[in-house]
Each structure stands twice: as structure tokens, then as C-alpha cells.
Amino acid sequence: MGKFRSKLKRHNKGKTWSKGESAISNPEQMKHRLKAKSRFFQPNLNLAAESGSAKGLTMEAVHKHEQRLAYNTETTTVNDVAGSLKSFTFEDDDGMSGSGTATQTGTFKTFQTFASNYSSCSNVSFKKLLTGFRASSDLHKEMLAILSALTEIIRERGGSESSTEYFLLLISQIEAATEERDIIAGIALLSMGIKSVPAPVLRKRFDSTAATLQQLLQRFIESSNQSVIRYLIGCLSVLLRAQDYATWTYSSTFQYFDALLSFSIHSRPKIRKAAHHAVVSIIHGSCFMLPPTPVENDANAEGVQKVQQPQASKIKHHPASGRVTKFCLAQFKPEVLANAQTTVLHTLTLLKDCLGGFRTEDIRSVCEHLLSIMTAANVLVRTNCFQALHALFLTRSANLNATLCAKLLAAIHEYRPDRSDVRQTLAWITVLKEGHMHLATLQLDLCMQALPRIFDVFTADLWLSDRSELVVGVSNCIKELLQDCVSRACTTQELADKYRMSVTKIIGALHKVLNAPFGEISKYVILIFSIVFEACGKHFGGELMSSLTTIGKRYESQTALRLQIEHTIISAIKSFGPELVLQALPLNDANGNVCLERSWLLPLMREGANGASLQFFKEHVVPLALNSQANWRKFSVEEKNNVKAHIYELLSCQLWGLFPGFCRHPRDPEYLRKLAPTLGDVLENNPEFRAAVYDGLMELLDDSQSTECHAAIGQYARNFLPRLFNIYTQKPTSTYEADQRKRVLDVIRQYIARAPAEVQAQLFENAQGLLAASAVASFEYDAYFDINAAIVRVQKCRGIETYFEKYMAPVLRNDKSKLVSRDEQKLKKQQRKTYELLRELMTSDQASCQKFTRKNSIMLQQILLEAFSTTCSVCQASRLHCLKSLLDCRTNLTFNDQLVMKAIPEAVLNYKEFSTRKEQIAEQLIKLIVNLYQEAGKINEFVDILTAGFTGDESLITNTILAFRAVLQQQGQHLTKSRHQAEAAVAFLITFIKVMPIPLVANHLETIMRSLSAMTKDTKRYCRIQIGYFLKKLCKRFTTEELARFVPGDDEVTHRRLKKIRKQMRRDTRKKQNEEAQAESSDEELVGDLEQKSYTIDDILADSDSDLPEDMETEDGVATTKLAMSKSTSKSKQSRSTYIREDVDEIVDLADLKSIGNVLTSGSASAAPSKQSKLKPQLINGGFKTADDGRLIISDKALRGQGKNYDDNSDSDGVESSADSGNEPGGVGNPKRGMEEDSSDEEVLKQDPSTKRKRKASDALSMVSGKTGASTRKGIHRSLGGKSSDAMSVKSGGGGFSKAAGTEYSTKKAKGDMKQRGKLDPYAYIPLTRNTLNKRKRAMNSRKFKSVVRGAGTDGTRKGGTACRSGGRVGKSYK
């Protein structure tokens, strides 16, 4: 019974047969039959069997058959995997080193495939064949057969299967082979194994091997098989690289090298690429061109005599560079340039990679010819010449000396393209930039002589372009030249004086752009000057003053360049110093008052000041601050002008705010002796300026300051510290004053450490007297206690002990003393301060504090343990810190020490869950004690001690449980010993799936997944990060569904992780696809920012492939027309022509060197507007006459010719003007032909041949006008979407878009219509739409006519007419 199939949904995937032939036709796909035929080893199954075995089917043949397609669990054992990892290495040497050392050949079984079992080969050189063997390839079959035979021969002779043995046997096999397929297979094997052959062997067998390879090249040169030629080229390249310097003196060596050169211009891309790679690797990677390395002889090459490498480290160029030069110059002959430009381009590609390894004379010859062929009209040749020169400069080769480099740069200046050709100009400036940077590394004198010329070109012409990409490219070039070249000439005063003339010219060229009117380059010019200030500002402040003044004058608070100007001013302040900046942009006017327009400089001065002068601050800034302060007092008290008073108050604070910037690494710290009285007066009498003084003192006391600065500030400790003490002892009245009071204490702590010892002792004595005289627990007592705490830290051990016994010990013991407060709240505060001071003393790095802790440890232990019951709860954290410090300072501490036993219950009792500070120190203390018990092996005793806490109250039980949590967290690694083993196993699995083939991993997939699921929760959680990474790697090689099959159903965690990984992978895939789609669809945009990375020469010339001639073959052997089909429609339609810009008054001389600037690419030619279009004026109202009320007067003949371009002298009837404009490119031809007849395509093309292009779909929708070109359609195919295509059309939008009639006259201000200038007067009409023809809506449409007639018959006519005559509003009469 036939199967019913729906006719609506066709299934076209299956095979179909003609009627009546379903039983007699054989299928085209014979999958299983082909598999059976591919078993080529059946005729000789006992090829690798032991001698004496029976012929026919053997167990070994069956074993090999099972290994053909994949691994399985029965044949792959743990020993096989372990053995395969013995000689595994992550470094895959491709033989490019050429050092002569033999790579590891590998005598173990490194792979487990059908091919490896069949051939029994263990040499890693043939890994690609044995692991990537394809049974469907005849070449692989022949290679495997030869390899297995050679392996058997080596084993019969007792060899070690080294690369030398395989090399010698393969050469013999190739020479003895008669059939072509055997030779090709042998050559393919030789290309794999020759890379690991020791260099002495290749030198010994050079003559015979090179002759054989050359004969084979001649034999297969006409062959259609490209692979064999590539294999031979690769073998010959490795052979030539291994030869020493003396071998290259023979003519035969150059003959073999010439054979490789001949293939570098081959028509087939793969062969040409192989030859390019071979030549470049010989020029740069020969054994004598690389640094010398120790040579290790192969096991079978002991008798081979080693050839010494003479002066390997001193050889800078290859002996064959002259050969390459001669070959390349032969391709630059005029007849080749005229008839075979493809060959020239291939030669330039070769030069781009190997030119840096040539001799100086060869580089000179090549560069001369490159400059000569750059005058050709082919822009692509010029582009590749730029690339070759750019690569030469980029290699920083010593063969290109300074003199030749300077001359080459001067010659490249003459080949400057036109500014409108953006791509070529960017390539030109990039080449010059790299050349000057290379010249700066060779000889800075020549570079500085050449730099002013290129800066003149940049600033006077290229920087003023209206193309944003050119402006960005020039800005980046200027930035790199300033940073890499000019900054080297300004590092020292001697170099600055030597190159002052050149640097001054560069600064002058950049300054001219500042004086020019700003346009698009304004942001880049300002940012460039920030780099100029950083590079030259230290020694060229006078030359840059005018530029700084100009930039400062352009500052406005609302300007778009405010951030750039501020950044540049900060750079100037850092380089010049505040003195020169304030000279260029003075803060005061002629009367000595502060200029309010320059107040924006003050925050920038504070941020950028570094290495300034304190004398300048005293002589210039302080008077301004005092003047502003006086004005502030004047306007606030006398004149009662609060606005001006507030302004001068802010100015005073900002001027004093400059003091920290001047204190940042000052040049004259000795001048502090004159500034100190002023600062002291401010501290005493001006509280509003104290914050700036505090910040300045902290800058002077910082550790990064010089010793001279510390000594200078230390001399005035006797003056500053008492004032600071007085300020700190004053009670604050606001939060601001409280914050400033804390700042004062920080300054005191820093300052007391820099004070001299005698000053410290005197201040400490005075502070103790003040502390003793004040009332206990009062504000003054607390303030003096904080001051003493700051001073006692820097005292000697005896002074610390005295202070501790007198003022600290009574508080800690809670003695009944006059120094201990009786009030409970005040006592808590007093104890907290005392414990914090004791903690600072015990944890300080000062030698005196550490000595105090060691010397009095017994006393401190006794006081701390006895004070457990008398200490308030807020002090327990500090007390525990002191206990921990005692434990840390004990050297021979044991687990049964009295201090340890006493510390355990206190740590447990103070272990609070929600008290972060206590929990942290208590946890640290418990972990420290646990380590002591663990080292002694008494961890169980510690657990028993903690268990006693379960007998207490609820709070103690809670703390005991939390303490057990800390113990478990600390000792988890000892309690769970399998964690590290599991982590190591997961790490092994990660490496296993990375390095092993997928079939092998697939056979063990079930075991791996079940083992992961069987892990304990503890180890699984411990290794969760590694397991997650491992699962992600597996999901990339297999699907999540395959992995989930082997995961047990009760392992919900693994299933959930697999689902999450699957979602994440799908999300990443979609994101990547969206990004690729956006990248393909979006146009390439250049970011207009100076901070971006400069474009390389390849980025600049990335679109050069689109300019290939039609007859040129691409690298893949496909014509350019085929390549263009894969690109987008917009890119495929780009013009590939080259244009020559002509002048109507002059004749173009193509032989003149200046004509190179007139050769433009298609992109720049289309972008540059013609002069004719610029000079043509825009006619008002399209050339029609207008009445007094604004109405257009349009005649019938003019209506027929509407949309054409009219001249200025057009007549009123439009007939003569239409006739004159009929010859214009944008016209519609002869207006007498009427509206039905338009000009044909041929006439339009005859008018302007340069505008030939394919018709776009949008052209059919464009309107007939002078801007968009004439329409070539007739009848019903004429354009109806234009704005001015027909005076009676109701469509007003372009491209066929229809708008509601009259909407252009509507307004939101009120009802009715508004007359608009240049348009017809609004009038009422009913648009004709297809809804009007609907019979069901006939009654509704008829009402529209009635309303219009009714409105026109009553007030509409009168109001409308009045409004029209008066030029006002018009009543809306169509609805």
C-alpha cells in the first residue's frame, strides 16, 4: 500500500527515480561498499606480522581492522595512554629554527591510531600523517605503505627510528622509485621529516640531496599537482637554511636558490606563497643569521664532521641578498611594467618581507627602482611600493644606515599624493613616520634636521583638510613623532641646546595652526600641544609661552573644548612649573587685583603643580591671597555686598589651596624658613585656610620627599607642633571642625616622627604635664592623651615604660586612682583609648616599641589576664589584639603554655557572630592556637577543650559552635585528604581532553562523567571551578546531550551545570553571529580621537584589493570578479578606475614627477566635488518668477521643463532658459518634447562619461530634477515619487512615500494653515484616493464636498482672502 503524501507540503530531501526505473537503478551513494573497498591492506594482511606466521587472515590484521576508525576500551589501556604522554611536548618545532639541533624524535609510541598500528612508526615527525590519516586519500595510502616499509627496514637493522635514518632512507627511496605516485609519496614524507634532521647531516648530504630535489622540480614543473611542487620547495628551503656561511660562496648553492626565486612569481597562488615563504625564511632564518646555540649531535651523526660558523653573531645580511636584488630588479623593467603588472606586484610582495635582510648597496638599488616605478599610473603599484618601504623602516634593520635612510626620506617627500586622495596620503605619511622613527634610532642629528619639513607639510596643508580620517591620521603621526623623536632631543639640557633650532621650527609650525581659525582640527591641535608640553616643556618654556597664552585665551566655561584645554594646561603646569604658566596667563591685572576671568586656572594649578618653587608661592600667590582676603572683609563688613564677598572668599580659599601643589617635591625646600611665619600666622588666625596648610604639611612630610625637605620641615617642629597642639585641644562646634580636628591629629603623628630627638623629648615632657594637670575623662584630658599617644610611639624604651606605668597600667587594672575615672561611661572611653594605644605599641615597627614588648611581656601578660573581669565589652577587641601580639612575640611558644590556655576561653567568649571586629580577631586567635595543637599532634585535646563550652549558657554554646566552625575551616585540608588528589585528577583530565584526539576521549567519556558524578560533595565543591572549566571544554568537543546521557539521574547538580553551559554557549554563538552581521553591514568609521592607536600601513591600504585589475588573479587563484561577488552589493559596485585630475589651462605631462599627485583612486575621486558643481549657483524657487504675495508664476512651457537647472539669465517664459539648460548633465533634455518624452540613457551617458555606473533601484524612484539626474522612463514607468515631478501630484515625499495633503501647511500654534515662504498658498481640495471609489463609503465621501462648499460660501472665502492678502494665517477649510 502506497504511503499518503500531502500535496501541500513537499518533501524534497529524499532520492527520486524515474517512473518504472526504481528497481533497475543502482544508488549513487554506496557508503558501505566504499568502506569495504578502502581496506587496502587485505592482500598483504601479514605485512607486519611475525616471521613464520601462517598466511591469510591473522589476529593482528583483525586487531588493525578494529583500530581503523576509532579507539575502544578493550584495546586502549592505561599503559598506552601513559606511554603516549612520555614524549609529548607542547612545543611543535616546525623546523624554522635552522639552528642545527636535532629535535626530539620520540622513541615511544606517541599515537594510537589505525595508521600508527599499521606502520608501527614512533617518530614524531610523521605525527600529522598518523593522526590525520584519511582512508579515502590515495596519497595517504602510498605514504603509509612507504613509511611502514621504512620502519621495518630500520628495525631489522637495529636502528633507533631517528630522523636521520628516515631522511637517508627516503632519499634512497625517491631516487630508486620509478612510478610517479611513489615519488610523490616519498617527497611528501620527506617534507615532514626533513625539518627535524640535524643540521650537520643536511650539510654533509647537501650536494646529492639538492641535486635530487632540483631534478624533481624540473620533472614536476609542468605537473597539475601543486602539492608536490610545494613539498619540494619546502624541502629545498630547509636544506638551504641549514648550510653554513662558507657553503654560500659556491655557485651551485646560488643555482638552487635561483630555482626557488623563479617560483616566487608563479601564476599559481599556493606555489607562489610557498616560494615566498622559502625565500624569506632563507634570508632571515639561516643558521648563521640566528644567535648561536649549543649543538647536540644526533645518535647516528657522530661521525659527521661539524663545520664551524664563522662570526655568526656579526653577520647582518645574507649572501643571497644580491641574488634576490638582481632577480627583483629584472622584474621592474619598462616592458614588464607595461605588460605584466601582476608580476611586478608579486615581486613587491616578496620585497616587503625580505628587504630588511639585504646589504646596504642592495637596499639602495631596490629603493631607487621602487621610487622610479612609483611614478606609474597604476595606483596599486604605488600602494605596494609604500608597503615595501614601510616594512623596511619597520624592521629597524641596521643594514639601512642613517645616511641612506635620510636620503630615502627626502626622496619620498617628492612622491606626495594629492590631499584629496585620502588613502594614498595616509599611506604616505605613515611611511614617513616610520622612516623618521627609524632614523631617530640610528642618528638623532639627521632625524632632527628632517623633522621640520614633515611638520610643515602636516600643519600647513594636511591638517587643514576637511576629511576627518585624514585629520585623525595626521594627528596620530604627529603624536608618535613627538613622543619617539622630539622627546629624545629634549631629555637633557645639552641635547636641548644642540637641537634648539629644529625644535623651535617644529614648535613654530604647530603654533601657526593655533592662530588659524578653528574647525574640525581644534580638538586635535589642543591635545597635540599637551604632548608638546610634556616632551619639550622642561627646556623650551620660553618658546612655548606664546602657544600657552593662545590656548588659555580660548578657554570658555561653556565651550566644547573645555576638557581638552584643561588637560593641556595641566600638562604645561607639570612641565613648565606654575611660574611660567602664571607668567603666560597672569592671575592679577594691572592694579594687582585677582582677575576673575582667570580663576579657572586655580584648580588646575593645584592638580598639576609639581616641583614648584616655594619662593614663587610666597612672593606672588600669597599677596594675591591676602588681597582677596582684604576684599572679602571689605565687601562683607563695610559695603554689605554678599555676592562679591562670597566671590572673594572663594578666591582666597582657592589661592591658599595652591599651597599643597607647591609643596609637592619643591625645588627650594630651604626657603621654608621664610614661609614658616606666614603659615604659622594662618594656623593661628585664619581657620578657613587651615585645611590647605594641613595638606601642604602632609605633602612635605610624605615618605616620597627628599631628605633635604624632611630636614627643613623638621627644623620648624618647635614652631608648628605647639600651634597644632593648641588647635587640637580646642573643642569643635561643627562637623567640619571635627573632621579638621582629626586631620590635625594625623599631621601631628606624621610631624612628630620627623622632629629632632631633643624636640620630641621636650614636647613629650610638656604634654605629660598638661595631661596630669587636666581633669580625668574631660575633653582636655582626652585631647592631651591623644597627643601623648602620638608622641610616645617615637620615644625610647625607658620613656614608654614610664608612661605605661604612670598613665596606662592603672586604667588597665582599674585601680582606685585619681587617674582612673569613677564614672562608668567615661571609664569605658578611657579604657578603649588605653587599649588602642597599647595595641599600637605592641604592633608597631619601631625598635623601641618592640623592645618594650619583649622586655615587659610577663608584666603585660599578667595585666591582660587579670583585666579580663574588669574590662568593658567595647575594649575586648583591642584586648584580644594585645593577647595575640603577645603570642606572636613569643619564640618558644607551646600548646600547653599558660597564655595559650588562658586565651582559649577568652577567644570563645568574645566570639560574637554579628560583631565583625571581635569575630575577626577571635577567629585569628583560635586559628593560631589550633596550629599550635596541630603541630604538636594534640588536635583532639583542643577539641575536648572546646567541647566543654557546651555545658554553659545559651551564649556560650553559640560561641562554641562558631569556634568549631573556625576550627573546621582551618583544619579542613587535614580532615579531607582526598581533596588535593581529586584536584590533581581533574587537572589531569583537562590536559587529557586537550591533547588527546576526540575519538579516544569519546571512548572514555562514560567513565569520566560517571566518575565526576561519584565524587563526594566535599571534593566536588572544593574542585567546582576546575570541574566547571572541564565541563565547558567537553561541551565544546561534544554536545551537552551526549554528556547528559552518562550522568546519573540523581546528580542534579551536574545536570543543572550542563544546562547552564548549553544556554551560555548558545548565547555566545548568537552574540557572535550578531556582531559579525553588524560588522559586515556597517561601514568602516574612524574614531575621531587622538588617544586611539595609530593605523598600520595594512589598515590604511586595506581596500587595495578592491582596486585590482579585472585580469589579475587573487591569492586564492580566483579572479577578482569572483571575489567581488562574495562581498556586499555596495562594495561590489565601487568603481575600480584610476583618475587623472587635469587642468583646462595646462597640458598634463605624465613624465613629470609632480604629476604623481594628480593620479587619484576611485574613492577620493568620487569624494572630491568638481569645480563646475561648486561654481554653479542655487537658483531661488527653481528659477520661476514670483508674485508680490509669494505665489509662483509658472507657464505651461515652463511646467513641461520643470526640474531642470536654469541659468541666471533665464527669460520669464522659460523657453530660452530651458533650451540653455538642456545641455547640462542634470537636465532632462529638450523641453519641447513635452512631459511624456524624456531624454534617453544614451544621451545622458554622452553628456558626462565620468559618471557611468550601473543603474540602482533607487534611481527608478528618484524625481526628475537638476540634483538627481534625468529620468529615463516613459509612460506608466515614469517617476512619480519626486517632490517636483508634477505640479498636480499629491505626493510630496521622495521615493514614492505619500503624505496626507496639506500637512506641510499645518501648525501646532493654532487652528488653520500657515503660509510658508517659497511654497504655494494653501487652498482647500479633496485628495483623490482609492477609498473614494469605494461604494460603501460614497455617502461619507460626499459629505466632504458639502463641508468644503459650505465653508467657502460663508466665512471661509472672506476670511481666507483677508488672511491671504495680509500674509497672516489661513483658516483650515479641508477636513
Side-chain angles (χ1 to χ4, degrees), residues 1017-1068:
K1017 292 184 179 180
D1018 178 68
T1019 55
K1020 187 182 293 187
R1021 183 185 177 280
Y1022 183 75
C1023 307
R1024 61 188 182 277
I1025 298 177
Q1026 292 87 344
I1027 293 175
Y1029 179 76
F1030 175 69
L1031 291 177
K1032 288 180 182 178
K1033 289 295 181 182
L1034 277 181
C1035 290
K1036 290 182 179 180
R1037 287 162 174 77
F1038 307 96
T1039 61
T1040 54
E1041 289 78 9
E1042 293 176 348
L1043 299 179
R1045 279 190 313 173
F1046 305 116
V1047 180
D1050 56 348
D1051 190 2
E1052 298 179 358
V1053 176
T1054 306
H1055 281 288
R1056 193 160 54 245
R1057 297 185 77 171
L1058 289 176
K1059 289 180 181 179
K1060 185 177 180 180
I1061 292 172
R1062 180 183 60 186
K1063 291 181 180 179
Q1064 185 63 35
M1065 291 178 65
R1066 291 178 178 177
R1067 190 180 299 113
D1068 294 342

Side-chain angles (χ1 to χ4, degrees), residues 1006-1147:
E1006 182 177 1
T1007 306
I1008 293 173
M1009 296 306 298
R1010 293 191 181 276
S1011 300
L1012 288 177
S1013 299
M1015 292 174 64
T1016 59
K1017 292 184 179 180
D1018 178 68
T1019 55
K1020 187 182 293 187
R1021 183 185 177 280
Y1022 183 75
C1023 307
R1024 61 188 182 277
I1025 298 177
Q1026 292 87 344
I1027 293 175
Y1029 179 76
F1030 175 69
L1031 291 177
K1032 288 180 182 178
K1033 289 295 181 182
L1034 277 181
C1035 290
K1036 290 182 179 180
R1037 287 162 174 77
F1038 307 96
T1039 61
T1040 54
E1041 289 78 9
E1042 293 176 348
L1043 299 179
R1045 279 190 313 173
F1046 305 116
V1047 180
D1050 56 348
D1051 190 2
E1052 298 179 358
V1053 176
T1054 306
H1055 281 288
R1056 193 160 54 245
R1057 297 185 77 171
L1058 289 176
K1059 289 180 181 179
K1060 185 177 180 180
I1061 292 172
R1062 180 183 60 186
K1063 291 181 180 179
Q1064 185 63 35
M1065 291 178 65
R1066 291 178 178 177
R1067 190 180 299 113
D1068 294 342
T1069 303
R1070 289 194 300 267
K1071 183 179 179 181
K1072 184 178 180 180
Q1073 291 175 354
N1074 294 335
E1075 291 176 354
E1076 291 177 355
Q1078 292 177 1
E1080 292 177 358
S1081 60
S1082 61
D1083 296 331
E1084 182 180 1
E1085 297 181 357
L1086 291 175
V1087 180
D1089 192 357
L1090 187 63
E1091 300 299 330
Q1092 73 181 61
K1093 183 181 178 182
S1094 299
Y1095 290 94
T1096 61
I1097 192 73
D1098 298 327
D1099 298 332
I1100 294 171
L1101 303 173
D1103 60 345
S1104 298
D1105 292 339
S1106 61
D1107 298 329
L1108 288 173
E1110 296 181 357
D1111 59 342
M1112 188 174 297
E1113 203 174 29
T1114 61
E1115 291 296 332
D1116 296 331
V1118 186
T1120 310
T1121 55
K1122 295 182 180 180
L1123 179 65
M1125 293 174 62
S1126 62
K1127 297 182 179 179
S1128 60
T1129 307
S1130 60
K1131 291 185 178 181
S1132 64
K1133 292 183 179 181
Q1134 290 179 353
S1135 176
R1136 295 177 182 171
S1137 303
T1138 303
Y1139 298 90
I1140 299 178
R1141 186 174 55 190
E1142 298 179 288
D1143 193 354
V1144 294
D1145 299 330
E1146 297 180 1
I1147 300 175

Side-chain angles (χ1 to χ4, degrees), residues 48-219:
E50 297 180 359
S51 59
S53 60
K55 295 182 179 181
L57 186 64
T58 61
M59 291 301 295
E60 188 174 358
V62 175
H63 172 70
K64 293 175 182 178
H65 173 65
E66 291 175 352
Q67 292 289 328
R68 268 192 72 247
L69 297 178
Y71 301 92
N72 53 47
T73 309
E74 289 78 7
T75 58
T76 305
T77 62
V78 177
N79 295 330
D80 295 334
V81 178
S84 65
L85 293 175
K86 288 182 180 180
S87 60
F88 179 78
T89 177
F90 286 98
E91 299 178 358
D92 187 12
D93 188 10
D94 58 350
M96 291 295 295
S97 61
S99 59
T101 59
T103 59
Q104 184 180 3
T105 56
T107 57
F108 299 95
K109 201 171 192 178
T110 53
F111 356 84
Q112 185 76 12
T113 63
F114 154 72
S116 60
N117 280 342
Y118 182 77
S119 65
S120 302
C121 176
S122 61
N123 194 294
V124 295
S125 302
F126 308 102
K127 178 179 64 175
K128 291 184 179 180
L129 172 64
L130 301 180
T131 57
F133 176 79
R134 288 184 290 109
S136 59
S137 175
D138 295 335
L139 177 62
H140 284 195
K141 297 175 184 178
E142 294 293 336
M143 292 170 63
L144 188 59
I146 294 174
L147 185 61
S148 60
L150 296 181
T151 304
E152 291 298 325
I153 293 174
I154 293 174
R155 290 185 176 179
E156 288 177 359
R157 297 179 180 179
S160 59
E161 298 187 43
S162 64
S163 297
T164 304
E165 295 169 335
Y166 279 106
F167 168 71
L168 297 175
L169 289 177
L170 282 172
I171 292 295
S172 302
Q173 183 268 335
I174 292 172
E175 293 175 350
T178 56
E179 296 186 5
E180 184 174 330
R181 62 178 185 178
D182 296 337
I183 297 176
I184 295 175
I187 293 172
L189 288 173
L190 181 62
S191 66
M192 293 182 180
I194 196 173
K195 297 176 182 180
S196 58
V197 178
V201 178
L202 295 178
R203 295 170 192 161
K204 184 69 176 178
R205 303 277 300 180
F206 171 67
D207 295 333
S208 58
T209 305
T212 302
L213 294 177
Q214 189 176 21
Q215 292 176 2
L216 293 173
L217 275 175
Q218 296 175 356
R219 176 176 178 178

Side-chain angles (χ1 to χ4, degrees), residues 305-426:
Q305 183 181 1
K306 293 192 297 182
V307 181
Q308 297 293 332
Q309 301 177 1
Q311 299 179 354
S313 59
K314 297 182 180 180
I315 298 176
K316 302 300 181 183
H317 56 81
H318 200 277
S321 63
R323 215 75 175 185
V324 182
T325 303
K326 183 178 180 181
F327 173 80
C328 293
L329 297 185
Q331 312 305 321
F332 295 155
K333 294 180 180 179
E335 56 271 15
V336 180
L337 283 171
N339 302 323
Q341 293 183 356
T342 305
T343 304
V344 177
L345 295 178
H346 295 333
T347 308
L348 291 174
T349 305
L350 176 63
L351 282 175
K352 181 176 66 174
D353 296 328
C354 61
L355 188 56
F358 288 4
R359 296 182 305 169
T360 304
E361 294 78 9
D362 296 333
I363 293 177
R364 184 191 303 273
S365 302
V366 171
C367 291
E368 289 175 355
H369 283 76
L370 288 179
L371 295 175
S372 64
I373 66 175
M374 283 176 65
T375 58
N378 192 345
V379 179
L380 199 58
V381 173
R382 193 196 316 170
T383 298
N384 281 268
C385 291
F386 278 143
Q387 289 179 335
L389 294 173
H390 180 268
L392 174 62
F393 293 136
L394 197 61
T395 54
R396 304 289 189 265
S397 175
N399 299 328
L400 180 63
N401 55 35
T403 305
L404 179 59
C405 183
K407 292 181 180 179
L408 182 58
L409 289 175
I412 295 176
H413 271 282
E414 303 298 332
Y415 290 83
R416 173 187 168 188
D418 189 80
R419 190 176 72 177
S420 60
D421 196 347
V422 178
R423 290 291 177 183
Q424 293 291 319
T425 305
L426 286 175

Side-chain angles (χ1 to χ4, degrees), residues 804-815 817 819-820:
F804 178 80
E805 293 174 357
K806 185 175 181 180
Y807 295 100
M808 297 176 61
V811 178
L812 296 177
R813 291 192 295 261
N814 198 4
D815 295 341
S817 172
L819 297 176
V820 181

Side-chain angles (χ1 to χ4, degrees), residues 829-845:
K829 185 177 181 181
Q830 193 176 10
Q831 284 186 347
R832 180 175 58 81
K833 286 181 173 290
T834 306
Y835 273 113
E836 288 179 353
L837 176 57
L838 180 60
R839 173 190 170 188
E840 291 182 7
L841 293 175
M842 298 181 68
T843 58
S844 176
D845 295 333

